[in-house]
């Protein structure tokens, strides 16, 4: 009989999770007897063993190259471990922050797909959060944003055009909110002052009294946001 750890939960159905060390975790509500659980695990035995083999092979072939599963990643300035949940019920790979970890939920262990999904989650979060910050500061600064995009800028955290179009680096979402605010305020102020004159920095300071501290954070710690995902 396949070995597994049984955890009772409030979920309505039985879940099967394969951890990165190959351990099998079965979660089930109290209404399911252990006999029923064993039967279901037996039915899924082929899927479980295939996933365990996938994880073992990936770990051997890519040893030292899966930093996104070994090191903590930042989100809004806080470090989180990344965990992978493999369950047969997942029809597509997704990622999200739940509790104290960033989870990647998938049916099979596909490293490149997981990397892609993790970056897409970061990009989606960056778009959502930056949109909120623009909506907050835009009326205060008295400017009108035509559009904004989330990009993979190599040398900039943000940029602005005279037409009211803004660009932001998706990795900003790894920084603390006050640092994100500084970059958003910086680019919004450029819609009034398209330069880095004294007038520009005076304008920035009106809306971010500690902008020098936040600018220094990016200079000193910005490389932390560049940790390899893909």
């Amino acid at each position: 009989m396949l070995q597994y750890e049984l955890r009772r939960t409030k979920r309505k159905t039985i879940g099967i999770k394969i951890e990165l060390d190959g351990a099998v975790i079965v979660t089930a509500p109290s209404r399911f007897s252990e006999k029923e659980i064993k039967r279901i695990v037996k039915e899924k035995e082929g899927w479980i063993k295939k996933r365990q083999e996938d994880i073992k092979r990936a770990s051997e072939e890519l040893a030292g190259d899966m930093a996104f599963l070994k090191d903590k990643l930042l989100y809004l300035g806080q470090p989180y471990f990344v965990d992978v949940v493999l369950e047969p019920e997942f029809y597509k790979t997704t990622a999200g922050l739940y509790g104290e970890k960033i989870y990647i939920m998938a049916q099979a262990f596909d490293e490149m797909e997981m990397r892609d999904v993790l970056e897409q989650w970061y990009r989606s979060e960056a778009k959502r959060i930056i949109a909120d910050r623009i909506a907050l500061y835009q009326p205060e600064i008295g400017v009108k944003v035509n559009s904004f995009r989330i990009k993979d800028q190599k040398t900039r955290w943000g940029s602005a055009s005279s037409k009211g179009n803004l660009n932001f680096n998706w990795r900003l979402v790894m920084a603390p909110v006050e640092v994100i605010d500084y970059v958003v305020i910086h680019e919004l102020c450029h819609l009034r002052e398209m330069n880095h004159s004294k007038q520009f920095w005076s304008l920035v300071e009106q809306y971010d009294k500690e902008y020098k501290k936040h600018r220094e954070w990016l200079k000193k710690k910005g490389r932390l946001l560049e940790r390899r995902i893909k």
Side-chain angles (χ1 to χ4, degrees):
M1 182 66 189
L2 190 72
Q3 296 298 309
Y4 62 88
E5 177 185 339
L6 175 61
R7 296 177 183 174
R8 295 293 184 176
T9 68
K10 293 182 179 180
R11 61 177 290 162
K12 296 180 180 180
T13 59
I14 291 178
I16 301 174
K17 172 184 174 181
I18 315 298
E19 300 202 322
L20 292 177
D21 61 1
V24 180
I25 309 297
V26 178
T27 54
S30 57
R31 64 186 179 87
F32 282 89
S33 68
E34 291 197 21
K35 183 178 180 180
E36 288 178 288
I37 294 169
K38 287 181 180 180
R39 177 184 60 78
I40 293 173
V41 170
K42 183 65 176 176
E43 289 177 355
K44 299 290 186 181
E45 188 171 359
W47 177 87
I48 292 169
K49 289 184 176 180
K50 177 65 168 58
R51 298 290 82 80
Q52 288 175 322
E53 290 170 5
D54 289 344
I55 292 174
K56 182 180 179 181
R57 182 168 58 253
S59 298
E60 291 172 351
E61 293 176 356
L62 302 166
D65 193 38
M66 293 189 291
F68 76 110
L69 294 180
K70 297 176 180 178
D71 302 329
K72 287 185 176 182
L73 293 180
L74 292 173
Y75 174 75
L76 297 182
Q78 297 299 314
Y80 294 92
F81 277 116
V82 180
D83 199 0
V84 177
V85 178
L86 298 179
E87 290 197 13
E89 292 87 356
F90 295 143
Y91 68 94
K92 71 174 183 178
T93 302
T94 59
L97 176 63
Y98 302 95
E100 298 180 353
K101 289 183 179 181
I102 296 172
Y103 285 94
I104 300 173
M105 292 153 283
Q107 189 178 90
F109 194 98
D110 184 324
E111 188 199 6
M112 289 310 299
E113 183 179 30
M114 290 191 294
R115 289 182 187 276
D116 287 341
V117 166
L118 186 59
E119 181 176 321
Q120 288 306 313
W121 173 72
Y122 268 117
R123 285 176 176 269
S124 176
E125 288 295 289
K127 186 174 184 179
R128 178 181 66 81
I129 291 168
I130 290 174
D132 287 344
R133 311 321 286 173
I134 290 174
L136 175 64
Y137 291 109
Q138 181 177 232
E140 289 188 30
I141 298 173
V143 294
K144 177 65 176 177
V145 174
N146 181 44
S147 69
F148 82 94
R149 293 192 296 173
I150 302 300
K151 301 179 71 176
D152 191 8
Q153 295 171 300
K154 302 300 182 184
T155 59
R156 295 181 177 184
W157 296 113
S159 60
S161 77
S162 58
K163 294 181 179 180
N165 300 320
L166 307 181
N167 295 315
F168 295 95
N169 191 318
W170 66 265
R171 292 177 182 273
L172 263 179
V173 77
M174 297 181 180
V177 172
E178 58 269 23
V179 174
I180 298 173
D181 281 356
Y182 158 68
V183 177
V184 170
I185 290 169
H186 184 117
E187 302 310 329
L188 288 174
C189 287
H190 271 316
L191 300 185
R192 285 178 56 180
E193 295 283 344
M194 291 298 292
N195 51 55
H196 286 106
S197 62
K198 289 184 179 179
Q199 290 88 341
F200 169 79
W201 289 114
S202 177
L203 187 62
V204 170
E205 190 171 20
Q206 287 183 44
Y207 303 100
D208 183 1
K209 300 298 183 186
E210 296 188 304
Y211 82 88
K212 292 181 180 179
K213 172 184 173 182
H214 302 145
R215 183 175 59 178
E216 191 66 17
W217 191 98
L218 281 173
K219 287 182 179 179
K220 289 184 176 180
K221 300 183 180 180
R223 295 299 299 271
L224 293 175
L225 313 186
E226 299 173 9
R227 184 167 291 169
R228 184 173 176 267
I229 292 177
K230 295 179 70 174

